[in-house]
Amino acid sequence: MQQISKTRRALTGGAVPALALGLLLATGPAALAQQSGLSSALQQERMAFEVADTDGDMRISPGEFARDAAAGFSSLDTDGSLTLTPAELGEHDPALFGPIDGDGDGALTFDEVMTYKMKAFEAADTDGDGYLSFDEMVGAAEDQLGAAQ
Ligand SMILES: [Ca+2]
Ligand SMILES: [Ca+2]
Ligand SMILES: [Ca+2]
C-alpha cells in the first residue's frame, strides 16, 4: 500500500493537473488522448472550449468550468450512481484517475472529481486572472499530450 501511495504522489507532480483537465472536458476527452497529431487535438480543444464557454466571452469562468466538468462527469456516469467506476472509465489510463481518487478506493465520486477539476482549473490559469483563456487551455492540453507520450 505504501508503495502505491508513493506512486500516486509521484503522479501528482506537474503534469497531472493538465491530465485531469482533459479527462472530463465535455467533448471527447478520450478522443483527445488518442489523437496522434497536435492539430487535430487542437480542434478537439477548440470544440471543448466552445462547448464549455456558455456565455461566449472566449474565456472559461470557474462556473462554466464546473458546469462543464459536471456535464462530463454525467456523460461518463452511465448508470447514474454519481460514482465513476473503472469500467465506466474504461478508455482512460488508470494512472490518469489514480491521483483524482482521493480516498483510493478505485472509483471516482462526483466530489472527488469536482475537487480535482477545480485544482486543475487553478493550475491551468497561468496568468491568475481567474479565467481560462483558450491559450491557457491549450497549454494545459499540450502538457497532457506530452505527458501521455
Ligand atoms: Ca465564458
Ligand atoms: Ca474514490
Ligand atoms: Ca487566465
Side-chain angles (χ1 to χ4, degrees), residues 53-61 64:
D53 180 23
T54 51
D55 67 0
D57 68 351
M58 296 309 292
R59 58 185 193 171
I60 307 297
S61 68
E64 286 171 339

Side-chain angles (χ1 to χ4, degrees), residues 77-95:
D77 182 23
T78 48
D79 66 359
S81 66
L82 287 181
T83 302
L84 301 182
T85 61
E88 287 170 330
L89 291 164
E91 287 182 33
H92 297 93
D93 183 340

Side-chain angles (χ1 to χ4, degrees), residues 83-84 97-98 100-109 112-113:
T83 302
L84 301 182
F97 62 86
I100 309 171
D101 183 14
D103 64 2
D105 69 350
L108 304 182
T109 64
E112 283 172 341
V113 170

Side-chain angles (χ1 to χ4, degrees), residues 124-133 136:
D125 179 21
T126 49
D127 67 1
D129 68 351
Y131 294 89
L132 291 194
S133 66
E136 285 171 338

Side-chain angles (χ1 to χ4, degrees), residues 20-130:
L21 241 194
L23 181 58
L24 291 176
L25 270 170
T27 317
L32 172 64
Q34 284 162 7
Q35 298 295 336
S36 52
L38 187 58
S39 60
S40 48
L42 270 173
Q43 286 172 5
Q44 292 275 336
E45 281 297 304
R46 172 63 75 180
M47 285 172 59
F49 187 88
E50 288 176 357
V51 168
D53 180 23
T54 51
D55 67 0
D57 68 351
M58 296 309 292
R59 58 185 193 171
I60 307 297
S61 68
E64 286 171 339
F65 190 81
R67 194 161 44 230
D68 187 73
F73 185 96
S74 299
S75 72
L76 291 172
D77 182 23
T78 48
D79 66 359
S81 66
L82 287 181
T83 302
L84 301 182
T85 61
E88 287 170 330
L89 291 164
E91 287 182 33
H92 297 93
D93 183 340
L96 296 191
F97 62 86
I100 309 171
D101 183 14
D103 64 2
D105 69 350
L108 304 182
T109 64
F110 186 75
D111 283 349
E112 283 172 341
V113 170
M114 294 307 284
T115 297
Y116 199 82
K117 291 294 290 184
M118 295 324 287
K119 279 191 215 157
F121 181 95
E122 287 174 24
D125 179 21
T126 49
D127 67 1
D129 68 351

